[in-house]
Amino acid sequence: MTPSSTAVGSAAGTTEPAPASAAGAGPRRRRRKSSRARSQAWAGYLFLAPWFVGLFAVTLGPMIASLYLSFTDYSLLTEAGWVGLDNYEEMFTADDRFMNSLKVTTIYVAVSVPLQLVFALGLAMALDKGLRGLPFYRSVFYLPSLLGGSVAISILWKKIFGVDGIVNTFLGWFGIEGQGWVTSPDTALWTLILLHVWTFGAPMVIFLAGLRQIPQSLYEAARVDGAGKLRQFRSITLPLLTPIIFFNAVLELIKTFQSFTQAFVVSGGTGGPVDSTLFYTLYLYLKGFKNYEMGYAAAMAWVLLLIIAALTAVNFLMSRFWVFYGDEK
């Protein structure tokens, strides 16, 4: 726009030219805004810095180092020597204790996780019946989850199932001669499975929260139609709880594969008797910190990671066939 046209426009009252000062305010405002955005971004990065330091220094860094060490012969006291896939080959072809630890851990996970979930769901349903003092019972039942993996509870468990323990004393009242449950290769693993089932508190609380989300109107409609308790459970409770069951199953599967303290304490750190409680993580610990075969232990850690990742992926793939979400048609 020329000065003459600006003057004509002003006289006609149809065009209002922007003052020079206003025309320059836009870029300055944008610059101030851009400067403020950069300051906020830097502040955000500053607050995130501890997380990034933790991610790279505590998680990713050790993982990369562990991956490298898994291809080496490293004893902590000597320099790591590259051996390629020898650790992995020895694991699956020449190490019977490794295969046994895998078998023991698989049995432990396959039995204890379903039992724990069934027990937790049953108790959650019992507590969901409007029981007076529910917060108290919820806290009491949750307590074993906090203590179950501790050294103290593992020692207590060893005493309870010992030769002179409470279990044998109780059996003695009925004339049944007990045995050393944790010292027998036939029963030692089952005492640990029982200990794991006893730590049902965490999944129980999640189940209880899920039960509270099911509309009571569905049960009322089912009762009007003549559906009994079992039919209500099969047609209402179980389908609507499948996302909670799936969540608990994945969570407990991952956690149970990493169980260590119970087997270490009850077996005295050996995995005995006769390797009947030799959990995978316990054998990994023995390889790394007792035999100083850190390269081999690193390889075992990566195999465990792949096993857990594969089973989790299978769970997610299978979930589409049995997990029901309310927004699905």
Side-chain angles (χ1 to χ4, degrees):
M1 181 178 293
T2 62
S4 59
S5 64
T6 304
V8 172
S10 299
T14 56
T15 304
E16 190 66 30
S21 58
R28 283 201 298 273
R29 190 178 298 114
R30 283 195 294 273
R31 282 197 295 273
R32 285 199 298 272
K33 186 176 180 180
S34 175
S35 176
R36 189 184 307 119
R38 282 198 298 271
S39 299
Q40 291 175 347
W42 278 112
Y45 292 140
L46 189 62
F47 280 109
L48 284 173
W51 184 84
F52 279 115
V53 170
L55 175 66
F56 288 102
V58 181
T59 304
L60 288 182
M63 284 185 68
I64 295 171
S66 168
L67 182 60
Y68 168 74
L69 290 176
S70 72
F71 297 105
T72 65
D73 181 13
Y74 180 51
S75 66
L76 278 179
L77 305 176
T78 59
E79 189 175 349
W82 184 264
V83 295
L85 295 173
D86 285 0
N87 287 329
Y88 294 94
E89 184 179 353
E90 179 184 349
M91 205 179 298
F92 289 101
T93 59
D95 191 347
D96 293 336
R97 293 197 79 191
F98 167 80
M99 297 305 296
N100 181 67
S101 70
L102 200 57
K103 174 186 171 184
V104 169
T105 306
T106 302
I107 294 173
Y108 179 70
V109 174
V111 176
S112 64
V113 171
L115 280 178
Q116 186 192 52
L117 294 184
V118 169
F119 196 72
L121 177 59
L123 203 54
M125 292 181 65
L127 291 177
D128 191 44
K129 300 299 182 185
L131 191 67
R132 181 176 295 179
L134 177 61
F136 170 75
Y137 289 110
R138 193 165 48 199
S139 303
V140 168
F141 289 129
Y142 186 73
L143 195 59
S145 291
L146 300 177
L147 302 175
S150 68
V151 174
I153 291 299
S154 299
I155 293 175
L156 177 64
W157 213 252
K158 190 176 181 179
K159 295 289 184 185
I160 289 174
F161 287 95
V163 177
D164 300 324
I166 297 174
V167 173
N168 283 344
T169 303
F170 177 77
L171 292 176
W173 294 345
F174 300 94
I176 302 173
E177 186 179 356
Q179 59 173 332
W181 302 95
V182 294
T183 55
S184 168
D186 296 328
T187 57
L189 179 60
W190 296 99
T191 62
L192 296 182
I193 289 174
L194 191 60
L195 173 58
H196 185 81
V197 174
W198 183 60
T199 60
F200 59 86
M204 184 206 69
V205 170
I206 299 173
F207 276 135
L208 193 56
L211 288 170
R212 293 298 174 91
Q213 300 303 315
I214 299 177
Q216 291 300 311
S217 57
L218 296 177
Y219 293 106
E220 293 170 1
R223 281 193 292 270
V224 171
D225 291 340
K229 293 290 184 184
L230 183 60
R231 182 60 185 272
Q232 291 177 30
F233 174 77
R234 287 171 48 196
S235 301
I236 300 175
T237 306
L238 205 53
L240 295 181
L241 271 185
T242 49
I244 308 295
I245 296 172
F246 172 65
F247 175 79
N248 274 332
V250 172
L251 208 63
E252 291 301 322
L253 179 76
I254 295 172
K255 191 175 73 174
T256 309
F257 259 108
Q258 302 174 66
S259 297
F260 171 79
T261 307
Q262 304 92 322
F264 182 85
V265 173
V266 170
S267 69
T270 63
V274 201
D275 286 349
S276 59
T277 60
L278 186 64
F279 285 3
Y280 192 97
T281 50
L282 176 56
Y283 188 50
L284 188 155
Y285 168 82
L286 293 176
K287 277 291 187 182
F289 295 97
K290 188 173 181 180
N291 300 341
Y292 299 107
E293 298 178 33
M294 292 302 293
Y296 194 89
M300 284 188 64
W302 275 94
V303 170
L304 179 62
L305 174 67
L306 293 177
I307 291 173
I308 293 176
L311 290 176
T312 304
V314 169
N315 268 321
F316 271 90
L317 289 174
M318 296 299 293
S319 68
R320 68 181 65 178
F321 300 109
W322 65 275
V323 178
F324 170 75
Y325 294 99
D327 55 349
E328 291 179 343
K329 294 182 179 179

